[in-house]
Amino acid sequence: MDILEVKNIRKKFDRTEVLKDISFTMQEGQAVSIIGSSGSGKTTLLRCLNFLEMPDEGVIRVKDETLFDSAAPGSRSEAEIRKKRLHFGLVFQSFNLFPQYTAIENVMLAPQMMNEEGHRRDSGEVRRHAQELLEKMGLQNRMDNYPHQLSGGQQQRVAIARALALQPDILCFDEPTSALDPELTGEVLRVIRELAEQKTTMIIVTHEMSFARDVADHVIFMDGGVIAEQGTPQEVFDHPREERTRQFLSRF
């Protein structure tokens, strides 16, 4: 069953059309890698899915619920947009942790804010869940550390735990290793690989080609704001149909 349907998404900034008629679907438990050159629209697509940017046209559906339809705009209040964002967890390339909070406080923050908005979850349960997530990330000895006391790889693993804390339908990664040196990159990719093995539904924007090939069930190659090619890792990496895909992959 399709968990996500994206149809005919377009996005402009001033007169520059960054996304030009993007359509794809993904199934529950699938890991989808989005690859392509810088400026091809990958991050803008993630930001539109998370409603950090509002698409200009198109349709976004999660589990048969229509989150966005340009033909029937509906309410776009801040509360409504926040509710739509709950379907997606987003891990940024620059971690975006709150420096004044410890690792566990960073992970607990969003569920606690949900409590304040009337979505009741027992505070003890919120803490237990945060502890479990940090243990899953191999950070059981770092829960009370502040971000500045953590390595970049540890900070990114806290950020992944934070994104999982609200139990999103789809976990999104925006180049999760681009701010890390090669040694730390490995520990973050290992965590994402484990999540893929556990059939976590994920969209991963990445420049790590071997990782995209090994971990993804489906690969989307974006070029100039369009999906130039998509298919299984074997189809896209071993037998690309498009000349542009071949040119892009030849650099790796």
Side-chain angles (χ1 to χ4, degrees):
M1 171 188 150
D2 288 342
I3 191 169
L4 174 66
E5 181 185 9
V6 175
K7 258 171 84 176
N8 311 119
I9 291 292
R10 293 179 181 272
K11 179 65 183 175
K12 261 187 191 170
F13 293 107
D14 298 323
R15 280 186 230 167
T16 307
E17 196 171 20
V18 180
L19 298 178
K20 309 168 185 175
D21 202 18
I22 299 287
S23 297
F24 69 96
T25 60
M26 68 181 292
Q27 297 180 319
E28 195 158 2
Q30 227 181 14
V32 172
S33 283
I34 303 181
I35 62 173
S37 305
S38 295
S40 58
K42 308 183 301 295
T43 293
T44 300
L45 174 58
L46 271 198
R47 289 178 68 83
C48 283
L49 292 179
N50 285 274
F51 298 99
L52 295 171
E53 303 287 352
M54 197 56 73
D56 298 323
E57 288 180 36
V59 177
I60 299 170
R61 287 194 188 96
V62 173
K63 288 183 167 175
D64 290 333
E65 182 187 341
T66 301
L67 303 188
F68 178 83
D69 184 349
S70 55
S75 166
R76 291 195 185 168
S77 69
E78 189 53 43
E80 193 62 35
I81 289 167
R82 275 205 307 275
K83 196 168 142 201
K84 290 173 180 181
R85 278 189 193 131
L86 293 176
H87 291 282
F88 299 92
L90 180 57
V91 179
F92 300 89
Q93 50 188 287
S94 53
F95 326 138
N96 287 17
L97 298 178
F98 292 101
Q100 70 274 37
Y101 296 125
T102 62
I104 194 163
E105 287 167 347
N106 264 282
V107 177
M108 291 171 62
L109 193 61
Q112 284 171 333
M113 286 171 72
M114 291 291 294
N115 272 356
E116 286 166 21
E117 291 181 11
H119 304 262
R120 297 309 311 163
R121 271 175 79 184
D122 176 70
S123 57
E125 183 204 324
V126 168
R127 187 172 190 87
R128 275 193 303 277
H129 187 223
Q131 286 171 333
E132 282 167 18
L133 288 171
L134 287 170
E135 283 169 12
K136 196 172 170 181
M137 298 297 133
L139 294 169
Q140 54 270 35
N141 300 323
R142 292 277 185 262
M143 294 192 191
D144 296 319
N145 288 54
Y146 289 90
H148 75 272
Q149 298 170 315
L150 302 172
S151 71
Q154 290 167 339
Q155 288 185 60
Q156 191 60 296
R157 284 184 280 151
V158 174
I160 295 169
R162 181 179 63 180
L164 287 166
L166 287 174
Q167 298 164 313
D169 294 312
I170 302 164
L171 188 57
C172 301
F173 294 89
D174 184 14
E175 295 180 22
T177 59
S178 65
L180 303 175
D181 65 38
E183 194 179 344
L184 299 177
T185 291
E187 66 187 54
V188 171
L189 294 183
R190 204 160 43 245
V191 166
I192 300 173
R193 192 184 297 271
E194 284 166 10
L195 291 171
E197 286 165 2
Q198 293 157 15
K199 293 296 176 194
T200 306
T201 309
M202 296 188 287
I203 300 174
I204 309 156
V205 168
T206 183
H207 286 300
E208 302 279 343
M209 291 302 119
S210 58
F211 177 73
R213 177 187 185 132
D214 293 348
V215 169
D217 305 297
H218 190 79
V219 177
I220 291 173
F221 169 57
M222 286 185 69
D223 182 54
V226 301
I227 293 177
E229 186 156 355
Q230 60 178 315
T232 64
Q234 291 74 21
E235 287 166 345
V236 174
F237 286 101
D238 297 342
H239 308 290
R241 295 186 306 275
E242 303 297 325
E243 179 57 30
R244 184 67 193 90
T245 317
R246 286 194 283 274
Q247 286 172 0
F248 174 76
L249 292 173
S250 71
R251 293 182 308 194
F252 295 93

